[in-house]
Amino acid sequence: MKDLKIVFADSILPISDHERRIIHDFGCEVTQYHAITPKEILEVAHDADAILTVGGKFTRETIEGLEKCKVIARYGVGYDNVDIKAATEKGIVVTYVPVYCQEEVATLALTLMLACSRRIMIADRCVKAGRWAKSVASVSGAASPRGKVFGLVGFGSIARQVVPLIKPLGVRVIAYDPYINLDFCRELGVESVELDELLEISDYVSLHVPLMDSTRHMIAAPQLHRMKKTAILINTGRGGLVDQDALCEALKDGTIAAAGLDVLEYEPPREYEEIFTLDNCITTGHIAAATEEAIVRLRCAAATSLVQVLSGIKPSLPSGIANPDVLQKVPLKDTGE
Ligand code: NAD
């Protein structure tokens, strides 16, 4: 066994045999703790050589207290729980996993679209309430996708995975993305349009855009009013893309027909969310990436990236380096994979 201390700082995701095997094959063991705050992390990991984390708070204070850490491997696409600048200054490589759940998010977008358009939740509640004879009436207004228009807002990797899932349903697919790649459009049979046109002609509007200052509330009252009264809004991107209070009003007054939301503007939700009381809105609680298969990919990619950095190898997809500037201080071998 190598004389290295490897710590899984927090226990948001209990460690599995997948990470243990990868780290054991490297010649080390890993110990999991319940450390979230800087103080808790330093108690268990001040002398660690490498750290796995889901949600530990790696502030500047935490990072400066790490005596010999070479790598912090973060489970997930984002890394906002790690002070990247502090890590770079300290020569600690921060790895993350940008690619592990694209297909899962795409399939959830399809699921929400079908569940909303067929009014699945309403029928389910009706049957379970003992009103079997009313189930068909309860889904009045349910619509078939054939011949309808599916609008993708954002045409990045997840949106492009949605296309082959929905095309067999007979929909026309259009997309808005300021940086759209027309080769991908041709390849996938997707028409590029402006946002206003997309909102006006789409029967389904599905959001696949990162949340930034420029995209916050990109769907608010004016955009909702451009949409068809029969339209369904799907959001598997980020809650802040939508002005949730405006959406709630639009769902109540019939401005649009329904919404399927994996993400909310406030996560965790506020004490009272009126949107939860609406029959024409499905909320799934940020589960888009949560399949067994995706979680295994995430576990393996995070542990592998940690082992790669300790071996002097630059992690490659599905994991990546969140602070590439650190490579000026910590040269890692590029295997070209
Ligand atoms: P991506 O980077 O591959 O694609 C994002 C696309 O959005 C890019 O093509 C970009 O040009 C486009 N874009 C940027 N600004 C835009 C704007 N103003 N209007 C329209 N398009 C714009 O990202 P991705 O992998 O497709 O993921 C999309 C988003 O999905 C992520 O940013 C993330 O927030 C979200 N996501 C959610 C979950 C979940 O659990 N619900 C999981 C993974 C990702």
Side-chain angles (χ1 to χ4, degrees):
M1 282 286 151
K2 294 187 175 73
D3 186 22
L4 293 175
K5 177 170 174 179
I6 301 181
V7 162
F8 195 149
D10 54 276
S11 52
I12 295 171
L13 188 67
I15 193 163
S16 75
D17 287 346
H18 295 283
E19 297 97 322
R20 286 195 195 285
R21 181 182 41 76
I22 290 166
I23 290 168
H24 183 83
D25 289 351
F26 174 63
C28 290
E29 300 301 332
V30 50
T31 310
Q32 185 163 37
Y33 297 92
H34 305 289
I36 293 281
T37 64
K39 185 167 173 283
E40 290 166 346
I41 294 171
L42 288 178
E43 264 168 32
V44 299
H46 66 95
D47 56 348
D49 296 278
I51 303 174
L52 293 163
T53 183
V54 177
K57 307 253 176 279
F58 286 81
T59 60
R60 177 169 286 278
E61 175 199 349
T62 320
I63 285 168
E64 284 174 355
L66 298 173
E67 291 155 18
K68 54 179 176 139
C69 181
K70 293 189 176 55
V71 52
I72 297 170
R74 148 84 180 132
Y75 283 63
V77 177
Y79 39 82
D80 42 81
N81 57 321
V82 182
D83 186 325
I84 291 295
K85 193 162 176 277
T88 307
E89 283 167 21
K90 185 93 179 169
I92 298 175
V93 180
V94 180
T95 66
Y96 70 125
V97 189
V99 181
Y100 74 97
C101 62
Q102 270 68 10
E103 190 177 344
E104 277 72 16
V105 182
T107 54
L108 190 73
L110 169 70
T111 306
L112 289 172
M113 167 219 179
L114 291 174
C116 286
S117 60
R118 297 300 306 271
R119 312 202 165 187
I120 296 296
M121 307 309 281
I122 297 172
D124 177 65
R125 279 196 291 273
C126 182
V127 172
K128 288 178 180 164
R131 291 184 281 119
W132 175 267
K134 299 277 185 209
S135 60
V136 173
S138 79
V139 298
S140 149
S144 296
R146 189 160 301 280
K148 304 273 188 333
V149 178
F150 195 104
L152 292 161
V153 180
F155 197 53
S157 54
I158 293 174
R160 294 199 297 273
Q161 295 234 14
V162 173
V163 180
L165 300 177
I166 54 172
K167 278 253 169 172
L169 299 175
V171 292
R172 170 184 165 205
V173 187
I174 61 176
Y176 163 71
D177 188 320
Y179 313 102
I180 201 151
N181 179 326
L182 292 174
D183 288 339
F184 286 136
C185 286
R186 275 188 289 276
E187 210 174 284
L188 293 167
V190 172
E191 295 161 53
S192 166
V193 297
E194 288 304 317
L195 182 58
D196 283 351
E197 185 184 354
L198 182 144
L199 295 171
E200 282 161 16
I201 67 174
S202 293
D203 298 284
Y204 313 99
V205 173
S206 190
L207 307 182
H208 303 281
V209 173
L211 180 62
M212 304 174 283
D213 286 346
S214 59
T215 58
R216 188 174 297 281
H217 285 194
M218 69 185 293
I219 304 297
Q223 290 74 26
L224 292 162
H225 281 279
R226 279 192 182 273
M227 291 170 64
K228 294 182 176 180
K229 288 199 182 316
T230 51
I232 293 170
L233 178 70
I234 308 298
N235 190 4
T236 56
R238 284 287 179 266
L241 299 172
V242 178
D243 177 341
Q244 193 172 303
D245 293 334
L247 174 63
C248 192
E249 285 311 307
L251 290 168
K252 280 194 306 179
D253 68 17
T255 301
I256 68 167
L261 310 175
D262 184 48
V263 284
L264 295 174
E265 186 167 1
Y266 302 93
E267 294 186 10
R270 295 169 289 188
E271 202 170 320
Y272 177 72
E273 293 288 4
E274 191 178 12
I275 211 155
F276 292 168
T277 66
L278 306 181
D279 266 350
N280 54 349
C281 182
I282 298 175
T283 46
T284 48
H286 214 140
I287 59 154
T291 66
E292 290 291 328
E293 294 83 353
I295 298 298
V296 169
R297 284 198 290 276
L298 177 65
R299 290 177 178 286
C300 292
T304 302
S305 70
L306 175 139
V307 164
Q308 284 173 322
V309 174
L310 290 176
S311 311
I313 295 169
K314 188 172 159 191
S316 52
L317 289 175
S319 55
I321 297 179
N323 56 341
D325 289 349
V326 79
L327 296 176
Q328 289 165 14
K329 288 188 181 169
V330 187
L332 295 176
K333 208 167 46 196
D334 199 338
T335 59
E337 281 167 25

